Amino acid sequence: MRLAGKTAFVTAAGQGIGRAIAEAFAAEGAAVVATDLNAGLLEGLAAAESFALDATDKAALQGAIRAAAPDILANCAGFVHHGTIADASDEDFDFAVSLNMRSQFHAMQAALPAMVARGSGSIINISSAVGSIIAAPNRFIYGMSKAAVIGMTKSVALDHVTTGVRCNCICPGTVDSPSLHDRLRATGDYEAAHKAFVARQPMGRIGTPQEIAALAVYLASDESAFTTGQAHVIDGGWTVG
Ligand code: NAD
């Protein structure tokens, strides 16, 4: 049990990557506090505690994290805006800032004091291969927000490098999740869109949430004690070239 004795707080644990991470943390012995905007999605999760939480609600998010004082924080909440710069409204931009960026800022700000006092902690922010590592079509707002996650991760890592608290981010390529299927359907031609997503994958397939969760377990555990401030790309070779 690689996470025995540790408490892990997970946002957006209801489905996709967040759920796989919560499940993997629990399977490795962590007491998981699983949260999601939609409480119904948390049913059946082997969590120590689970409840509805909107990651954009600063007071609720910070209150829940301070109460849990987790050893591990996994910031998974995020939304994909589809479109170029021409399609981007100020409201779309602000929403991505609020959900993809500010929620991680607030969550880390609430988790850090207890971690620093304890002299240990691992923060895992979900970024994306799309952003500062590679661009993808119609991901102007999304890429902006996920690039910022890498910047926040590096800053927090550097400022806490002597405290025993580590902060890394995971940059997944295309991963099979409920919202991916929504995005494929939204194109109007699910089959063609799915084919195009797979075609850009050198391995000939998209990833699974469980493959991302395996990396999260490593980053959460003491096995990764020598890595901090890194953007860990896991993308089936998409960005290799
Ligand atoms: P998903 O998009 O299918 O599910 C998202 C979950 O977030 C849902 O359970 C939803 O209820 C919850 N959620 C939405 N708004 C919320 C809020 N305000 N507060 C709390 N929870 C909220 O899952 P996914 O596709 O695995 O995405 C999870 C994360 O991984 C996101 O940050 C996403 O940007 C990132 N990511 C996904 C992929 C991919 O291909 N799926 C690739 C790279 C990065």
Side-chain angles (χ1 to χ4, degrees):
M1 297 286 237
R2 295 149 77 197
L3 304 178
K6 295 186 193 288
T7 298
F9 193 101
V10 185
T11 67
Q15 68 182 34
I17 291 169
R19 188 180 186 95
I21 287 176
E23 284 172 344
F25 283 176
E28 290 293 347
V32 175
V33 181
T35 68
D36 196 283
L37 181 65
N38 182 347
L41 293 173
L42 296 168
E43 273 168 32
L45 199 56
E49 224 185 315
S50 63
F51 51 89
L53 180 68
D54 179 349
T56 65
D57 181 338
K58 179 183 181 182
L61 177 69
Q62 292 200 324
I65 290 174
R66 288 195 185 105
D71 303 279
I72 301 158
L73 169 67
N75 280 318
C76 302
F79 172 76
V80 180
H81 174 268
H82 180 91
T84 68
I85 189 168
D87 305 312
S89 70
D90 284 8
E91 290 71 28
D92 296 332
F93 194 95
D94 289 347
F95 183 72
V97 168
S98 172
L99 181 54
N100 297 7
M101 296 158 57
R102 197 180 285 120
S103 70
Q104 298 198 0
F105 153 46
H106 289 154
M108 291 193 286
Q109 193 176 52
L112 278 163
M115 290 180 172
V116 170
R118 199 180 289 131
S120 71
S122 177
I123 297 172
I124 300 157
N125 295 323
I126 302 300
S127 176
S128 174
V130 174
S132 63
I133 293 162
I134 194 172
N138 293 304
R139 292 292 179 265
F140 171 70
I141 284 182
Y142 184 72
M144 171 281 296
S145 66
K146 290 300 188 178
V149 170
I150 298 177
M152 289 193 292
T153 299
K154 287 184 182 289
S155 174
V156 168
L158 185 66
D159 287 340
H160 297 84
V161 73
T162 59
T163 68
V165 179
R166 298 179 296 108
C167 181
N168 288 281
C169 64
I170 296 179
C171 302
T174 307
V175 175
D176 198 345
S177 74
S179 73
L180 174 71
H181 293 285
D182 294 342
R183 288 190 289 281
L184 294 175
R185 270 190 293 274
T187 65
D189 189 342
Y190 179 95
E191 286 309 324
H194 186 264
K195 227 172 135 185
F197 271 50
V198 172
R200 70 185 189 190
Q201 291 298 114
M203 285 187 187
R205 68 172 180 87
I206 58 178
T208 68
Q210 288 71 29
E211 288 172 318
I212 309 306
L215 177 54
V217 168
Y218 167 71
L219 293 173
S221 79
D222 297 336
E223 294 161 17
S224 60
F226 203 51
T227 183
T228 192
Q230 297 306 309
H232 298 262
V233 179
I234 173 165
D235 67 352
W238 182 26
T239 59
V240 170

